[in-house]
Amino acid sequence: MKDLHDDFGQAGRLAAGFTQTLFSQLESLPALPRVKPGEALGRLGTEIPEEGQPLEQILSDFQRHILPGMTVWNHPGFMAYFNTTASPASLLAEMLITSTNSNCMNWLSCPAGAELEELATGWLRQLLGLPEHLWGIIFEGASLSSFHAMAAAREKALGPAFREKGWQPGQAPMRAYTTAHAHSSIAKALMALGVGRENIIYIPVDEAFRMQPEALKEQLRQDLGAGFLPLCVTATLGATSCTAMDPVSEIADICAAFGVWLHIDAAHAGPVAMLESRRPLFNGWQRADSITVNPHKWMFLSIDTSVLFLRERHHLREAFSLTPDYLKTAYDEQVTNYYDYGLTLGRRFKALKLWANIRYFGRRGYQRIIGRHLEMAQRLRARLEKEPGFEMLAPTPLSTLCFRYVPPGQTHSPGAIDALNEKLLEAINRTGKVFLTPTRLNGRFTIRLVIASLWVEEEHLERAWEAIRGCAGEGMEG
Ligand SMILES: *Cc1c(COP(=O)(O)O)cnc(C)c1O
């Protein structure tokens, strides 16, 4: 029989030792593993163990066979997707969450969990300059935050009739509004909520990929005339492709005039509002009905922490509250039972990560790091603009650069330029020094570089720039 006390002690030491070596070796690892599909586990054994095995052996197999097949999100050259890098405070909090392992489903199941969720989301709201009437709840990711926001919008629009009876013949078809640059999770949520993909209306964007408010207004006018029920408008602050910032102030005016729910997806960009100088970019977001912000991106929490802010939380509660006898407690009238506000019952103590990180960085720490990222992006953009052959394909309101390479002095078909950039991206990623991902803007293959990692310094950008320029120069002319 294993001794649990010994094993817990050893697990902590092994994990701490591994973490220390990992971070001292980060830069010697390739940012993207060089493995083919089906090969990511190396020669890892596939037999189910009949008897339990020692922790050292588990760690050793992880290091030898699993780690080499992992993409290194903590690598300073990781400039793909939107970064999520875990801070030391996240590591500490994760260890505490696992060693205590409380299930934060209702107040009684972890009283401090419920109260810290209130405190930590309140801190986040204040850091972002958001008003007091916005109440926060933590979900696993932005996709779930936005899903719950739209479920609340549906509850508000359709009331108990829809919840109790489901869709009724003669009911006005629902419609939802966003742009083609919204994250795919918005359409997924609307599909799951019964709106139907054909009823998601993509409002045209301007040259900076921002929603055109006049077009939204016109569409709402037409749809109301035609008997549709407008459910919600989703504006994005920091769209996934190019961090476009929808003009939320004008959109909020329109939503107010038409009485339509305004949801704002600021999963990646939200924390930028901690910088007073950048707050004008967010003007109007305080008037939203709901806002999604992911602390697990630009606030360096380990993955699975997204916050949804709601103006009228009771709609979400009405949409999901269902309390079986075995969950009733004597405190239900006095406390917030978070499971009442969503699909899942079991909830990790993620509020601890949010609280611990805000303690660790402080307002100024976040302002310094994020501010530096924004400046680094402008400097790199200036270099790209000066370099012959490189073209910027979108503005850079934050720290995501969208560009491509068109060999100077030659003419190419649009298809050939796309193909060339696809090859260029592969070559850049093969260097292992940097990992970038693509998107398409106006139909054109676009290389995307994001500066939002806890580890990225000037020297890593220098290295990335050399890799990009070097690969473009090598054999890309033909
Ligand atoms: C990252 C992101 C999402 C998806 O977030 P998950 O937490 O992975 O579900 C949605 N919207 C935007 C704008 C994002 O940046």
Side-chain angles (χ1 to χ4, degrees):
M1 189 61 200
K2 296 184 190 237
D3 184 315
L4 284 180
H5 289 283
D6 286 353
D7 279 0
F8 268 113
Q10 197 193 9
R13 286 190 297 276
L14 288 174
F18 165 76
T19 305
Q20 194 139 29
T21 2
L22 176 72
F23 287 119
S24 67
Q25 293 171 351
L26 268 187
E27 295 188 38
S28 62
L29 300 169
L32 186 64
R34 299 186 181 100
V35 294
K36 295 199 181 70
E39 292 178 358
L41 296 180
R43 294 202 305 280
L44 185 68
T46 54
E47 308 252 301
I48 298 174
E50 294 302 326
E51 295 293 339
Q53 298 173 344
L55 291 165
E56 290 105 323
Q57 200 178 330
I58 298 169
L59 176 62
S60 148
D61 276 357
F62 167 74
Q63 285 180 290
R64 272 199 302 176
H65 303 301
I66 299 176
L67 187 61
M70 290 178 73
T71 303
V72 186
W73 283 68
N74 282 328
H75 195 287
F78 185 106
M79 300 171 190
Y81 312 112
F82 280 137
N83 293 87
T84 133
T85 37
S87 69
S90 295
L91 181 67
L92 175 66
E94 288 284 6
M95 297 273 273
L96 303 179
I97 290 167
T98 302
S99 56
T100 54
N101 204 35
S102 277
N103 189 337
C104 301
M105 44 196 202
N106 59 13
W107 182 84
L108 188 64
S109 73
C110 185
E115 293 182 18
L116 200 65
E117 188 153 340
E118 203 93 44
L119 177 74
T121 55
W123 276 3
L124 177 62
R125 175 183 62 69
Q126 293 172 60
L127 286 171
L128 301 179
L130 288 169
E132 210 170 325
H133 64 248
L134 289 171
W135 169 83
I137 175 169
I138 300 179
F139 289 106
E140 285 68 20
S143 307
L144 278 175
S145 289
S146 293
F147 168 84
H148 284 91
M150 284 175 228
R154 192 182 68 177
E155 184 67 30
K156 183 175 185 186
L158 294 174
F162 187 84
R163 186 198 331 135
E164 300 302 327
K165 296 180 195 299
W167 196 84
Q168 296 295 296
Q171 182 181 309
M174 297 178 269
R175 279 210 156 161
Y177 308 83
T178 189
T179 75
H181 291 273
H183 191 269
S184 55
S185 57
I186 302 303
K188 280 196 194 184
L190 292 164
M191 283 156 70
L193 289 164
V195 174
R197 280 185 84 178
E198 286 181 11
N199 288 316
I200 304 171
I201 308 301
Y202 294 100
I203 304 299
V205 294
D206 65 11
E207 71 296 336
F209 308 100
R210 295 174 299 206
M211 187 187 289
Q212 294 188 356
E214 279 307 312
L216 172 67
K217 196 194 277 181
E218 187 47 38
Q219 183 74 44
L220 283 168
R221 207 178 354 239
Q222 278 179 22
D223 284 0
L224 281 168
F228 288 101
L229 175 67
L231 190 71
C232 84
V233 172
T234 300
T236 312
L237 287 171
T240 313
S241 277
C242 61
T243 64
M245 305 287 276
D246 282 337
V248 287
S249 190
E250 287 155 274
I251 295 170
D253 288 342
I254 295 167
C255 288
F258 285 87
V260 180
W261 186 287
L262 172 58
H263 176 59
I264 293 183
D265 182 0
H268 163 71
V272 175
M274 283 192 249
L275 284 86
E276 294 284 345
S277 61
R278 306 296 170 132
R279 213 162 271 168
L281 282 169
F282 294 79
N283 241 344
W285 76 326
Q286 69 280 2
R287 287 153 62 203
D289 293 283
S290 52
I291 303 176
T292 296
V293 177
N294 271 11
H296 78 217
K297 286 178 172 170
W298 224 339
M299 288 176 73
F300 320 115
L301 268 68
S302 50
I303 188 155
D304 84 347
T305 314
S306 171
V307 173
L308 173 66
F309 289 109
L310 282 169
R311 174 188 290 276
E312 298 172 305
R313 64 196 259 193
H314 69 93
H315 296 304
L316 187 60
R317 186 163 193 277
E318 282 148 19
F320 289 107
S321 182
L322 205 61
T323 309
D325 288 334
Y326 48 80
L327 290 173
K328 290 195 172 122
T329 75
Y331 306 99
D332 293 348
E333 298 301 317
Q334 309 160 44
V335 297
T336 296
N337 289 325
Y338 280 89
Y339 81 94
D340 254 352
Y341 294 83
L343 275 178
T344 58
L345 173 62
R347 308 174 80 247
R348 299 179 72 227
F349 192 2
K350 294 196 268 272
L352 189 66
K353 290 200 273 184
L354 185 56
W355 172 80
N357 273 278
I358 297 175
R359 290 279 302 262
Y360 177 74
F361 289 102
R363 189 197 302 268
R364 295 229 179 80
Y366 278 128
Q367 287 170 337
R368 272 193 296 270
I369 299 173
I370 296 171
R372 196 164 45 91
H373 289 158
L374 299 172
E375 286 164 18
M376 284 160 98
Q378 293 310 323
R379 282 200 293 275
L380 185 57
R381 184 181 168 107
R383 293 173 85 172
L384 274 159
E385 281 175 334
K386 262 197 261 151
E387 189 74 11
F390 284 95
E391 284 180 12
M392 300 306 300
L393 297 177
T396 308
L398 305 173
S399 66
T400 295
L401 301 160
C402 292
F403 62 93
R404 66 174 183 172
Y405 181 64
V406 182
Q410 304 167 40
T411 48
H412 299 272
S413 70
I417 296 174
D418 282 354
L420 185 146
N421 278 276
E422 222 165 313
K423 267 187 11 201
L424 171 59
L425 179 61
E426 266 173 46
I428 293 167
N429 287 341
R430 258 201 314 274
T431 65
K433 294 197 174 65
V434 54
F435 175 31
L436 308 179
T437 45
T439 189
R440 268 185 193 269
L441 291 173
N442 292 327
R444 294 177 297 195
F445 186 91
T446 303
I447 301 178
R448 199 173 154 281
L449 186 152
V450 181
I451 303 171
S453 163
L454 191 52
W455 297 94
V456 67
E457 297 291 344
E458 213 56 68
E459 63 188 282
H460 307 114
L461 277 188
E462 199 60 45
R463 235 169 281 163
W465 174 232
E466 278 163 21
I468 294 164
R469 212 171 40 164
C471 291
E474 269 171 37
M476 284 294 152
E477 264 78 36

